[in-house]
Amino acid sequence: MELFLLEHKKLWRKKSTKISVFLCFIYVVILGSILSFQWFSFGSSDDYTSNFGNHFDGYKMIRDSQEYSLMFGGELTDESLQQMVRDYQRMGSADMDAELEKTDRYLVNNWLGTLYPELEDTDNYKTMMSYVNPEKLTGFYERRQKAIEDFLEINDQTGAEKEYLLQIGSDVKEPFRYEWTEGWSVLLGSIVAELGSVVALFLAITLSPLFAGEWHDNTSSLVLTTKNGWEKIACAKIGTGLLFTVEFFVILMAGNIVSQIFFLGTAGWDMPIQVIKLIAIAPMNMLQAELYEYAFTFLGAVGFAGVVMFISAKTRSNVLALLLSLTVVYGPMMIVEYLPYGVQKALDLLPLVGSATDIFRTNTFHIFGEYVWSPYLLLTVPVLIGIVCIPFAIKKWSRRLRV
């Protein structure tokens, strides 16, 4: 334990560690969450002095939007959808631009385009919500079910795969709970979902020198003379890397959650994710989806830490260890669109390469004759890869020290 604590203190004393944690916190929590809520995403528009075109009043706009959504009864039905469209058209005809910003206009327009394509006027450049006849917006849930089935057919997901996915979706409860949704859409679609790709960069910077740094600092010979021996030191380094990963993730998650509660509160946590994407099949509400995305990032980060420490133990160069570590995550992202679809899906199983937003999709893997919905594997396989790498990291580094 004493050796582990010394290694842990040694890691946190490094300037690169402190700078990485600080910069990542600034980027993820300050820029990606707080300023996104208050300014970039939800500030009222028409501030021409701002690079983002928004005022610094996101908190007020969010509260006003949440209050406005309560007019529609808390459930998404044909009647409430018609009322949303009717009220939007009323405000639009009266040039009430400030009031229009309180609506879920982007979301509702997406619903209309998905479920009522025959009502779209291709010669009208305005959004559907501004001209469609509200009386024709009927059969919302029947149309949604047909849209799901049509999407699966177009996506060539037929037969047993289609039945498997529809069975998952059969647990989605109707009618949907509805409150202001755009905040949750941004939260689940970018703020939490993109956390992993940012964490990977700073984890690689911090952990890649964990073993390789001993050669860089010419301390490998000193390690051989210590009373603890190579194996205990290696285990202490592995434990330090894993604990740092947990601490790093908790710092970022805590910052995001505090920001989320301050700006969004808890309103809308029990809405199904289908309110964001109608053809999603996952029987999850917003809170469950957020927990999944955090779990995806955390387990992926642990898996990635294991891979980085293995690479660090295998190389004697800090720079090479860092480059190889970054290649594990960002390499597939750069070349994925040029690869066959099956290879693309396989690469998603690497730590922090796949996307937490797969809970909104219908991707599957075909394993031993059975279909498995991708979020199940994206949650488990990356961390298993990291765990498998750990004993090899210990063995590889120890062998080098013996030589």
Side-chain angles (χ1 to χ4, degrees), residues 280-299:
I281 61 170
M284 291 182 177
N285 60 36
M286 300 296 183
L287 179 59
Q288 291 168 333
E290 183 178 6
L291 291 175
Y292 172 88
E293 291 192 353
Y294 275 125
F296 167 87
T297 304
F298 172 69
L299 294 175

Side-chain angles (χ1 to χ4, degrees), residues 80-327:
S80 62
L81 175 60
Q82 292 170 6
Q83 186 182 355
M84 289 181 203
V85 173
R86 197 175 289 115
D87 201 51
Y88 181 89
Q89 292 176 355
R90 176 188 62 82
M91 292 186 292
S93 62
D95 293 326
M96 301 170 64
D97 294 342
E99 296 299 314
L100 290 176
E101 292 194 48
K102 300 177 184 178
T103 68
D104 265 322
R105 57 195 184 281
Y106 303 116
L107 182 74
V108 176
N109 274 303
N110 182 266
W111 295 347
L112 299 180
T114 300
L115 301 186
Y116 306 94
E118 75 280 4
L119 300 180
E120 185 175 4
D121 183 357
T122 55
D123 295 326
N124 193 328
Y125 294 101
K126 295 182 179 180
T127 59
M128 283 187 69
M129 199 175 177
S130 63
Y131 64 77
V132 72
N133 183 353
E135 303 302 324
K136 294 184 178 181
L137 303 178
T138 58
F140 183 90
Y141 292 101
E142 293 79 4
R143 286 173 174 264
R144 173 185 171 271
Q145 185 62 32
K146 186 177 185 306
I148 293 174
E149 295 178 6
D150 289 346
F151 174 80
L152 295 178
E153 292 287 341
I154 294 172
N155 207 36
D156 200 27
Q157 293 179 294
T158 58
E161 184 178 12
K162 179 179 178 180
E163 292 301 318
Y164 170 71
L165 293 170
L166 290 177
Q167 181 60 40
I168 296 175
S170 65
D171 291 330
V172 176
K173 296 180 180 179
E174 300 173 356
F176 300 157
R177 279 271 300 126
Y178 171 75
E179 293 185 36
W180 183 68
T181 307
E182 191 176 350
W184 284 99
S185 180
V186 170
L187 182 73
L188 298 179
S190 59
I191 293 178
V192 182
E194 296 175 3
L195 180 60
S197 60
V198 180
V199 166
L201 170 63
F202 295 100
L203 269 183
I205 293 173
T206 304
L207 297 183
S208 57
L210 197 62
F211 289 101
E214 299 292 352
W215 300 99
H216 179 270
D217 298 335
N218 294 319
T219 58
S220 55
S221 299
L222 180 62
V223 170
L224 287 173
T225 65
T226 62
K227 63 178 181 179
N228 295 292
W230 56 266
E231 187 172 5
K232 289 183 179 180
I233 294 176
C235 290
K237 287 181 176 293
I238 293 293
T240 294
L242 294 177
L243 179 59
F244 172 80
T245 302
V246 174
E247 293 169 333
F248 190 30
F249 175 80
V250 169
I251 290 171
L252 298 178
M253 184 181 71
N256 272 350
I257 290 177
V258 170
S259 171
Q260 173 190 343
I261 291 176
F262 177 79
F263 286 101
L264 294 183
T266 58
W269 70 268
D270 54 346
M271 289 189 295
I273 64 171
Q274 284 70 26
V275 178
I276 295 177
K277 188 172 183 179
L278 288 175
I279 61 173
I281 61 170
M284 291 182 177
N285 60 36
M286 300 296 183
L287 179 59
Q288 291 168 333
E290 183 178 6
L291 291 175
Y292 172 88
E293 291 192 353
Y294 275 125
F296 167 87
T297 304
F298 172 69
L299 294 175
V302 171
F304 182 65
V307 173
V308 172
M309 288 187 286
F310 169 71
I311 293 173
S312 179
K314 191 173 176 60
T315 61
R316 298 192 180 194
S317 167
N318 286 348
V319 175
L320 181 59
L322 175 60
L323 292 176
L324 292 175
S325 299
L326 294 176
T327 301

Side-chain angles (χ1 to χ4, degrees), residues 155 157 336 339-348 362-364:
N155 207 36
Q157 293 179 294
V336 65
L339 301 175
Y341 182 63
V343 178
Q344 292 180 26
K345 292 205 300 181
L347 289 176
D348 282 344
T362 60
N363 295 334
T364 63

Side-chain angles (χ1 to χ4, degrees), residues 21-32:
V21 173
F22 176 74
L23 290 179
C24 193
F25 185 86
I26 293 294
Y27 184 83
V28 169
V29 179
I30 306 299
L31 295 177

